[in-house]
Amino acid sequence: MSMIEIKRPQELARLRRLALAAQGLLQAQPYGRGLAGARRAVNHIGYVQIDTISVVERAHHHVLHSRVPEFKPAMTNQMLLDRDIFEYWAHAAAFLPIADFRFSLPYKHALKSGQTHWYRTRDKKLMGELLARIRSDGPLRSRDVETDTTKRGGWWDWKPAKKALEQMYMEGDLMVSDREGFQKTYDLTERVLPSHVNAQMPSMEEFAAHIVDQQLRCHGFASLKGLVYQRRNAELRKAVRALINERLAQRALEQVKVSSGEVFLVETGALERPLPRLKSRMLILSPFDNSVIQRERLKALFQYDYQLECYVPAAKRQYGYFCLPLLYRDDFIGRMDCKAHRKVSHLEIKSLHFEQHNFDEELIITAFVDAITRFCHFQECDSVSLTKADPKHLTQRLRNELAPLGTSL
C-alpha cells in the first residue's frame, strides 16, 4: 500500500488547510447563517459536545458560533424542539443530527443488555413507575418528581428519580424532548422521534461505514485511532479496521504520514482538491471544539500542545482554568483564559498567551481585536479588560487597542 510522506512545509500547510476547511473554520459562512446555517453545521460536523462549564458561553453554543454567522444560543434548543437534532452520548454528551439516530441504537442496546455507563445498579421498579407515569401523564422533568432524598451534591449524588430517568434515556426508552438550561425534559422515544427517521438497528458494517464516512467528511482525514476515538466496542473497531483495509486495497483511500510518524487516512485525490483561500482572520475556539478535541491529532498536525486545565490542580496550571485556543489563518497561535462577568456585562481576559510564530505582529493584533469584538458580542458583554499577555511587551499595546471597545461594543 502506498504511503505519502509529508516532508515539506507547504505539504503540511495543505494538510492543515484540508482539515480546517472540512471543519468549516476557513470559510466566512460555510453552512450559511442563523438557524438554517446551524442545522447544516451540525449535520456536517456530526455532533456538538454539551458541556456545563459556564465561565464563557457554553461549549455547544460556542462551537456553532465559530462556524455560523448570526447564530444565537437559543437556536440550539430550537433545533431540539424542531427535531433537527437529538441529544445522546457520542464520546461525551452531545447534540447529534436526527438523521443519525439509528447509530445511537447499538450503545443503547448494549446498556439494556447490562453494560454499565454510569450506574452499576439500577432501580428497575422506579424506572418502571416513572415510565408508566410519563406514558400516562406526559413529559417529565426530574425536578417534578417528589423524593425523600435531601442530600444533594455533585452529579454522583443525583436523587434516585434523576438516576432512573437518565438510565432510561441512556437505554433508549426516553429521549430529551426539551431543555431549559441544564434541566432536561424527558418523554417516550416514540413520541419524540419523528416518524420519518430511520430507527432500524444498523449492522456492524453499516455502523463502521457511517463512522468512516462521517470522520472523513468533517475532518478531511483521520487516523485509525481517531476513527474509533472513545469507542470501546471491540466488534465495531474490528469492522472499521476491515473497512479501511478494503478501501485501501481498492485505492479509494490512501495513507499520509507526517513528521511525527502518525499516519492518516485520506480519500484518494483529496490533497489535490481546491481549498478555500486563507484570510487574516482569528477565531477564538471552545476547548471542546470538534477541531481540537483529539489532542494527539492536534499536536501531530499543528504542533500545538493543548490541555484543558480546568481538570488540573490550580497550582499546576500553566495557562489558566479555561483556556480557549486561538486559530489564526491556518495555525493555532495562542490561548486565552477569560471569564464573562454577566451581571456587569464585562469580559475579563485573565491571561493571553501567543506561541512563537512567523506572522506579522501588527496583523496579529488587528485580528485579535476583531475576534475579541465578535466574542464580546457573543458573550453579551459590552466591555473587556486584559490582565496580562505573553510576550509581556504586548500587554500595554493590547490594552490600548482594547480600551475603546468599552464604548464601541
Side-chain angles (χ1 to χ4, degrees):
M1 297 177 186
S2 63
M3 179 81 69
I4 301 172
E5 293 205 31
I6 302 295
K7 295 181 177 179
R8 295 183 297 174
Q10 56 266 41
E11 293 172 334
L12 181 60
R14 184 160 188 81
L15 202 60
R16 290 176 169 183
R17 285 176 63 191
L18 177 62
L20 294 171
Q23 273 289 306
L25 294 174
L26 291 185
Q27 310 92 313
Q29 46 178 313
Y31 312 110
R33 311 176 79 83
L35 183 59
R39 289 192 195 104
R40 285 190 285 270
V42 178
N43 285 331
H44 180 83
I45 62 177
Y47 77 94
V48 175
Q49 184 170 335
I50 301 169
D51 193 71
T52 60
I53 297 174
S54 60
V55 291
V56 293
E57 186 58 71
R58 298 184 195 273
H60 40 289
H61 303 316
H62 192 165
V63 168
L64 292 170
H65 161 76
S66 298
R67 292 161 173 81
V68 182
E70 299 175 14
F71 170 79
K72 306 293 183 188
M75 293 176 182
T76 306
N77 202 54
Q78 188 60 52
M79 289 189 288
L80 185 66
L81 294 173
D82 292 342
R83 308 301 182 237
D84 297 313
I85 59 177
F86 74 105
E87 185 172 332
Y88 196 61
W89 196 263
H91 68 271
F95 292 118
L96 303 116
I98 196 71
D100 292 349
F101 175 80
R102 66 189 296 238
F103 298 107
S104 69
L105 297 177
Y107 193 54
K108 291 171 179 174
H109 177 73
L111 295 180
K112 260 189 177 296
S113 301
Q115 183 174 316
T116 298
H117 182 78
W118 281 317
Y119 314 121
R120 292 182 182 276
T121 58
R122 299 158 198 187
D123 190 335
K124 293 188 176 181
K125 179 175 181 292
L126 179 57
M127 288 166 65
E129 291 170 354
L130 288 169
L131 195 63
R133 175 173 170 179
I134 292 172
R135 182 171 282 114
S136 63
D137 298 348
L140 187 68
R141 298 172 300 179
S142 59
R143 72 183 182 195
D144 294 330
V145 183
E146 292 183 5
T147 177
D148 294 329
T149 303
T150 56
K151 182 180 178 182
R152 300 299 300 277
W155 60 267
W156 55 89
D157 286 327
W158 278 344
K159 56 189 179 182
K162 174 64 177 176
K163 290 182 178 180
L165 288 170
E166 196 70 8
Q167 185 64 35
M168 288 188 287
Y169 153 73
M170 291 301 300
E171 291 183 7
D173 294 314
L174 301 178
M175 289 181 72
V176 176
S177 61
D178 193 6
R179 255 183 180 269
E180 184 181 337
F182 272 80
Q183 180 68 224
K184 297 177 185 176
T185 299
Y186 301 89
D187 201 356
L188 301 178
T189 292
E190 59 262 34
R191 292 203 293 237
V192 177
L193 188 67
S195 58
H196 68 271
V197 174
N198 187 344
Q200 183 178 5
M201 176 75 75
S203 68
M204 204 53 67
E205 291 73 23
E206 286 177 316
F207 198 4
H210 167 71
I211 287 173
V212 171
D213 292 340
Q214 180 198 69
Q215 291 294 297
L216 292 177
R217 181 189 72 239
C218 71
H219 286 300
F221 50 87
S223 66
L224 186 58
K225 182 178 180 180
L227 286 169
V228 290
Y229 178 69
Q230 295 291 340
R231 295 184 186 273
R232 298 176 176 85
N233 184 323
E235 190 180 354
L236 175 61
R237 286 172 171 262
K238 183 179 177 181
V240 167
R241 194 175 295 109
L243 179 60
I244 290 301
N245 289 336
E246 178 185 336
R247 292 190 182 182
L248 284 169
Q250 295 170 344
R251 300 190 186 280
L253 291 177
E254 50 192 1
Q255 299 178 97
V256 176
K257 187 176 182 179
V258 297
S259 59
S260 67
E262 189 157 0
V263 175
F264 295 106
L265 301 150
V266 61
E267 290 180 348
T268 300
L271 290 172
E272 284 74 51
R273 292 174 190 163
L275 291 170
R277 295 178 62 184
L278 293 176
K279 299 175 182 176
S280 296
R281 181 178 71 143
M282 187 177 293
L283 290 176
I284 301 168
L285 299 179
S286 168
F288 299 102
D289 194 277
N290 302 44
S291 65
V292 301
I293 201 68
Q294 293 188 34
R295 311 304 193 208
E296 290 181 17
R297 169 194 169 96
L298 188 66
K299 190 173 182 178
L301 190 57
F302 294 95
Q303 290 77 58
Y304 183 64
D305 192 2
Y306 178 76
Q307 180 183 20
L308 178 58
E309 295 184 332
C310 60
Y311 305 118
V312 174
K316 294 184 178 181
R317 289 175 193 149
Q318 185 177 0
Y319 298 107
Y321 176 78
F322 199 66
C323 273
L324 312 180
L326 303 179
L327 175 66
Y328 177 69
R329 293 173 66 85
D330 64 347
D331 204 1
F332 286 89
I333 66 159
R335 56 203 86 198
M336 176 178 72
D337 185 37
C338 60
K339 178 178 176 61
H341 298 274
R342 294 179 179 87
K343 290 183 178 180
V344 292
S345 302
H346 179 74
L347 181 70
E348 176 193 8
I349 303 174
K350 297 183 175 183
S351 69
L352 177 64
H353 172 80
F354 289 111
E355 322 280 315
Q356 289 186 340
H357 55 76
N358 296 319
F359 297 115
D360 182 275
E361 196 171 275
E362 294 299 317
L363 293 177
I364 291 287
I365 290 173
T366 299
F368 176 74
V369 172
D370 288 344
I372 206 70
T373 302
R374 294 192 302 271
F375 194 68
C376 280
H377 283 299
F378 176 52
Q379 305 300 326
E380 296 187 344
C381 291
D382 53 24
S383 64
V384 59
S385 61
L386 171 65
T387 302
K388 64 178 181 178
D390 181 29
K392 291 182 179 179
H393 75 269
L394 289 178
T395 302
Q396 193 55 52
R397 171 71 192 282
L398 284 163
R399 284 176 179 162
N400 294 341
E401 294 289 336
L402 294 173
L405 297 185
T407 56
S408 62
L409 285 174

